[in-house]
Amino acid sequence: MSELKSTPGEWHVAIGTTYCCVRTGSSELRTGGAIADMRIAGGYYNIFDAHLIAAAPELYEALDYVLKSIDKDGSYSPLDKSSIGSLLAKARGES
């Protein structure tokens, strides 16, 4: 299996008056690097997509962990329930 190739660091949603974006580094605007930029089109942008994109690296790591556990002996030990809940909350924009 190949290794994930993505922008390193924790991803956060930053919300401006005319756009929202996913950035690395701090959740404050204009810090870190931009991952994705969602501009308002017709008075609307989908902040929910931004939260899902921001959670993507951690969701990938969680699935990779489960897959590696299954590959090891045919079974898997699930992630800590609170970790899964936290990842899903982040994807929904609740964290």
Side-chain angles (χ1 to χ4, degrees), residues 69-84:
S69 295
I70 292 169
D71 285 345
K72 204 178 216 182
D73 63 5
S75 65
Y76 74 97
S77 61
L79 295 170
D80 167 278
K81 191 173 180 178
S82 66
S83 296
I84 293 170

Side-chain angles (χ1 to χ4, degrees), residues 11-69:
W11 295 10
H12 302 277
V13 175
I15 303 168
T17 54
T18 60
Y19 71 97
C20 69
C21 62
V22 177
R23 305 184 73 81
T24 61
S26 171
S27 59
E28 299 296 317
L29 292 175
R30 295 182 179 80
T31 61
I35 303 294
D37 186 10
M38 280 96 104
R39 299 283 170 181
I40 290 180
Y44 175 77
Y45 60 85
N46 194 340
I47 192 168
F48 304 108
D49 289 343
H51 286 293
L52 186 57
I53 291 166
E58 293 167 84
L59 291 168
Y60 178 92
E61 287 177 15
L63 287 173
D64 188 49
Y65 171 83
V66 170
L67 182 62
K68 286 177 180 172
S69 295

Side-chain angles (χ1 to χ4, degrees), residues 51-52 55 59 82-95:
H51 286 293
L52 186 57
L59 291 168
S82 66
S83 296
I84 293 170
S86 295
L87 283 171
L88 293 174
K90 182 175 182 176
R92 291 188 304 265
E94 298 170 1
S95 65

